Amino acid sequence: MARFYSEPSRTFSEYLLIPGYSGAEHIPDNVSLKTPVTKFRKGEEPAISMNIPLTSAIMQSVSGDRLAVALAKEGGISFIFGAQSIESEAAMVARVKNYKAGFVSSDANIRPDGTLGELLEIKAKTGHSTTAVTDDGTANGKLLGMITSTDYRVSRMGEDTKVSDFMTPLEKLVYAREGISLADANDMLWDHKLNALPIVDAEGRMKYFVFRKDYDSHKQNPIELLDDEKRYVVGAGINTRDYEKRVPALVEAGVDILCIDSSEGHSIWQKRTIEWIRSRYGDSVKVGAGNVVDDEGFRFLAEAGADFVKVGIGGGSICITRETKGIGRGQATAVIEVAKARDEYFRETGVYVPICSDGGIVLDYHMTLALAMGADFLMLGRYFAGFEESPTARLMVNGSYVKEYWGEGSNRARNWQRYDLGGKEKLSFEEGVDSYVPYKGMLSDGVRMSLAKVKSTMCNCGVLTIPELQQNAKLTLVSATSIVEGGAHDVILKDTSAVKR
């Protein structure tokens, strides 16, 4: 006979935190959100930790190299989407790793016979005001000049004006040769009062830019997540089909951690993938696995050698797995059960395998609930998709700015590898939808606001760290009526969209 669970599976919205005693020390500035990402033995430190408990989902519409840099600046990790060619994913990883080293590959380039109109299109696409002029218009062409926003005035020039007519030519540029140290490059920026310093090879071909803003950025982001070489930390998604080729390419590109991207992780395919990585690299390459929703799934992946385990099936806002296949579990219930399994495994083996709550986060306070229920960190898709740095286009729909957001199981993504069950190499039916999310501006502003709420709530609970929250949190189920009571009710709201003159 089938196994039935006596309790219903529940979502984050069905719980609230009960406040605890707050002492004088319980202020947001004293809260630490540092959390482990990879497994570690009792008494040891994890190889990788984050300064905030947030990662971005392995999705085409979420995690590109630009968002990876922005999230690492805030202390988290982005997992570059794997539903692309091996070469393309490895290139994204390499761009992130090169970025913090201070030597940034130029993604805004134009030929000297290009026009002002073409330049404006490049600027609109990349968001960058500094453009390299190369002989072939590529990032590694021979450097002929440079354009910044001070070199032209749109109101006084026609869009057919040739780039060669207004660019700053090479002979008037201050540039450096490949091999210069970052410290010396920064000195040149300051000595010559520059905002950007081009770096060229021995043949005069463009290699990198070093920007003054990147030097300032480090001072403005004290909790940015860096590796031992002061480069941004970045993750990448892999699948259970081409890992023998994809993993070496990503490792060569400098990836810090991998994660198997799958809708369901309790499978022989994930075990084989992890075993291959361990046989080839030992423990030097870190890899997370998932997704699972119960204790059996967690133990299976922990024993297979996963560095962390992702929890959640069907809880994502664009996921229709529960509708189409009838599998999954309420995210709160899944996290609670898997957290218990993690703690039991730790008591038995002395090895702590962090868990990542993936899906089900709708409101900011759900982040705190997920952490209190036992998650070590969170993976978010919809949340990050709305920020400026996500890879998708910003559009105007019905008078409001939105960004595109689609599931990896949608026909648009066609990421059949994520739903691989060892059969044909195709997507048999959709498990995700194509949608929009509200545009939310810059990632740094949104993340800092969300985590300010998390820190404030932790202070209300009388805790200053995530482990303290997990140990001391008091949670209560809420009724449907109390959920209504928790929002604005029985009042006439003012129309805040109207602006008084």
Side-chain angles (χ1 to χ4, degrees):
M1 184 176 178
R3 176 183 176 185
F4 289 88
Y5 288 84
S6 58
E7 291 294 323
S9 67
R10 300 186 182 278
T11 66
F12 294 131
S13 290
E14 294 178 79
Y15 288 90
L16 287 175
L17 284 157
I18 301 296
Y21 171 74
S22 301
E25 71 277 15
H26 293 116
I27 59 175
D29 286 346
N30 290 341
V31 172
S32 169
L33 294 177
K34 188 171 183 177
T35 192
V37 178
T38 57
K39 65 183 178 184
F40 59 94
R41 291 193 172 276
K42 187 176 182 179
E44 299 178 355
E45 290 294 319
I48 300 177
S49 295
M50 290 189 295
N51 293 323
I52 63 172
L54 303 183
T55 62
S56 66
I58 310 168
M59 301 177 69
Q60 299 167 32
S61 56
V62 177
S63 295
D65 50 289
R66 188 181 176 202
L67 188 131
V69 169
L71 184 52
K73 287 181 179 180
E74 300 305 315
I77 297 176
S78 184
F79 284 86
I80 301 295
F81 68 92
Q84 59 180 316
S85 71
I86 294 172
E87 295 76 17
S88 178
E89 185 179 14
M92 282 191 175
V93 169
R95 285 198 292 272
V96 178
K97 299 309 290 185
N98 286 334
Y99 194 103
K100 188 51 202 176
F103 300 102
V104 183
S105 296
S106 176
D107 60 358
N109 310 283
I110 195 169
R111 290 162 49 107
D113 57 356
T115 65
L116 175 61
E118 292 171 353
L119 175 71
L120 295 176
E121 289 180 5
I122 292 172
K123 182 178 179 181
K125 181 179 179 180
T126 65
H128 301 319
S129 59
T130 300
T131 305
V133 182
T134 60
D135 61 345
D136 59 3
T138 70
N140 297 119
K142 190 170 183 179
L143 183 66
L144 302 179
M146 191 170 78
I147 302 171
T148 68
S149 57
T150 60
D151 289 316
Y152 61 91
R153 292 186 67 178
V154 177
S155 61
R156 297 190 178 185
M157 298 166 60
E159 290 197 3
D160 59 349
T161 306
K162 295 294 184 183
V163 165
S164 56
D165 293 340
F166 60 89
M167 71 180 189
T168 300
L170 182 65
E171 57 267 23
K172 293 185 179 181
L173 288 178
V174 176
Y175 60 91
R177 294 290 183 183
E178 186 179 19
I180 188 175
S181 69
L182 182 59
D184 288 343
N186 281 322
D187 286 342
M188 289 185 68
L189 285 171
W190 289 98
D191 292 344
H192 294 278
K193 299 180 180 179
L194 305 173
N195 289 320
L197 177 70
I199 309 295
V200 300
D201 64 14
E203 298 177 350
R205 295 188 172 279
M206 184 69 187
K207 298 298 292 184
Y208 308 106
F209 273 122
V210 176
F211 293 102
R212 179 193 292 259
K213 65 179 177 60
D214 293 335
Y215 177 87
D216 296 334
S217 174
H218 175 65
K219 304 300 180 183
Q220 298 168 2
N221 298 280
I223 62 170
E224 60 186 357
L225 198 60
L226 308 175
D227 65 15
D228 293 337
E229 298 179 33
K230 305 298 184 183
R231 303 176 301 175
Y232 286 129
V233 172
V234 63
I238 59 173
N239 62 66
T240 58
R241 285 275 183 159
D242 64 9
Y243 55 86
E244 293 184 12
K245 294 180 179 179
R246 190 174 294 269
V247 171
L250 294 172
V251 171
E252 178 67 22
V255 74
D256 295 282
I257 185 168
L258 304 170
C259 184
I260 302 172
D261 182 25
S262 175
S263 65
E264 203 278 306
H266 195 172
S267 74
I268 185 62
W269 314 113
Q270 294 221 1
K271 182 179 180 181
R272 288 179 180 176
T273 303
I274 297 170
E275 287 176 345
W276 184 88
I277 291 173
R278 294 290 173 246
S279 68
R280 178 77 178 267
Y281 299 99
D283 288 330
S284 64
V285 170
K286 307 302 180 184
V287 56
N291 289 17
V292 300
V293 292
D294 64 3
D295 53 353
E296 293 179 10
F298 169 83
R299 185 168 287 269
F300 173 82
L301 291 176
E303 292 176 348
D307 282 291
F308 69 85
V309 173
K310 266 200 307 143
V311 182
I313 295 176
S317 59
I318 41 70
C319 183
I320 56 173
T321 293
R322 297 179 192 175
E323 285 184 32
T324 57
K325 296 168 68 174
I327 65 169
R329 202 174 196 185
Q331 189 66 9
T333 299
V335 169
I336 292 168
E337 181 169 318
V338 175
K340 289 179 180 177
R342 174 205 58 204
D343 294 344
E344 181 180 345
Y345 187 80
F346 182 49
R347 287 191 295 269
E348 291 178 8
T349 67
V351 177
Y352 188 93
V353 181
I355 63 172
C356 167
S357 177
D358 178 18
I361 302 291
V362 179
L363 302 171
D364 286 346
Y365 83 89
H366 292 166
M367 296 181 185
T368 319
L369 284 170
L371 297 172
M373 290 171 181
D376 294 284
F377 58 99
L378 318 174
M379 181 169 279
L380 307 168
R382 181 191 59 83
Y383 177 84
F384 285 114
F387 289 125
E388 172 66 30
E389 295 89 346
S390 74
T392 63
R394 183 178 65 172
L395 307 171
M396 177 73 78
V397 176
N398 296 328
S400 298
Y401 281 113
V402 298
K403 297 205 77 176
E404 295 179 293
Y405 180 48
W406 60 90
E408 290 299 291
S410 67
N411 274 325
R412 180 171 184 173
R414 301 204 65 80
N415 182 7
W416 63 268
Q417 296 95 333
R418 188 175 196 273
Y419 303 87
D420 183 25
L421 294 174
K424 295 180 180 179
E425 298 183 3
K426 66 176 184 177
L427 192 68
S428 299
F429 52 87
E430 285 189 287
E431 292 189 44
V433 299
D434 199 339
S435 64
Y436 301 114
V437 292
Y439 174 70
K440 299 191 295 187
M442 303 304 290
L443 179 144
S444 59
D445 295 331
V447 166
R448 292 179 187 186
M449 174 65 76
S450 296
L451 294 182
K453 298 175 185 178
V454 172
K455 289 181 176 182
S456 178
T457 303
M458 289 173 65
C459 290
N460 292 147
C461 294
V463 300
L464 295 175
T465 67
I466 292 173
E468 284 183 14
L469 178 65
Q470 293 169 346
Q471 183 175 355
N472 300 323
K474 296 179 290 184
L475 294 129
T476 181
L477 281 167
V478 294
S479 67
T481 304
S482 64
I483 292 175
V484 174
E485 180 186 62
H489 60 91
D490 300 316
V491 294
I492 300 173
L493 294 178
K494 295 180 179 179
D495 183 5
T496 55
S497 61
V499 179
K500 294 182 178 181
R501 296 185 180 277

